[in-house]
Amino acid sequence: MPVGADGDVSFHLNGMPCTARRGDTVLTAILLQGDRLRASPFSLAPRAGFCLMGACQDCWVQCADGSRVRACTTLVEAGMALLCPLPPTPTPAVRAGTDAVPGDVPPGDVP
């Protein structure tokens, strides 16, 4: 898949055709398609990477060929096929007046 004359790079995310700008990281390319990279395993809150410099291991993304890339330090390439389980937006908890999601622990509470 070629790079467009305007600097756009074509790639696939979960089988859907997408575009990014030449020089974008995989993380940037994915976040341009949605509002998260994954959900926190603890609270289901959206996660978009953590350290953004390749140290924390929070942003690994599966490629269609079975390899994995660190999204925050890997540049998106033309023809990449990425698999990223973009979770649905968490449903707000029933607690009135909060933006908590199911599984959140209120501040001060110990699980």
Side-chain angles (χ1 to χ4, degrees):
M1 302 189 121
V3 175
D6 58 0
D8 287 345
V9 176
S10 298
F11 71 102
H12 282 84
L13 178 60
N14 297 332
M16 301 295 296
C18 301
T19 58
R21 300 293 291 173
R22 184 187 335 220
D24 281 351
T25 63
V26 168
L27 180 61
T28 300
I30 290 172
L31 292 177
L32 287 172
Q33 309 306 313
D35 64 350
R36 68 201 66 200
L37 180 64
R38 64 182 192 85
S40 168
F42 305 105
S43 67
L44 302 180
R47 295 289 296 246
F50 184 69
C51 75
L52 305 178
M53 62 182 196
C56 74
Q57 312 294 316
D58 195 53
C59 67
W60 285 100
V61 173
Q62 187 81 30
C63 297
D65 67 3
S67 63
R68 294 183 333 139
V69 296
R70 193 175 287 155
C72 72
T73 58
T74 303
L75 296 181
V76 68
E77 297 176 6
M80 268 186 156
L82 305 168
L83 304 172
C84 183
L86 298 173
T89 303
T91 306
V94 180
R95 292 182 281 204
T98 71
D99 292 325
V101 295
D104 271 354
V105 176
D109 288 358
V110 178

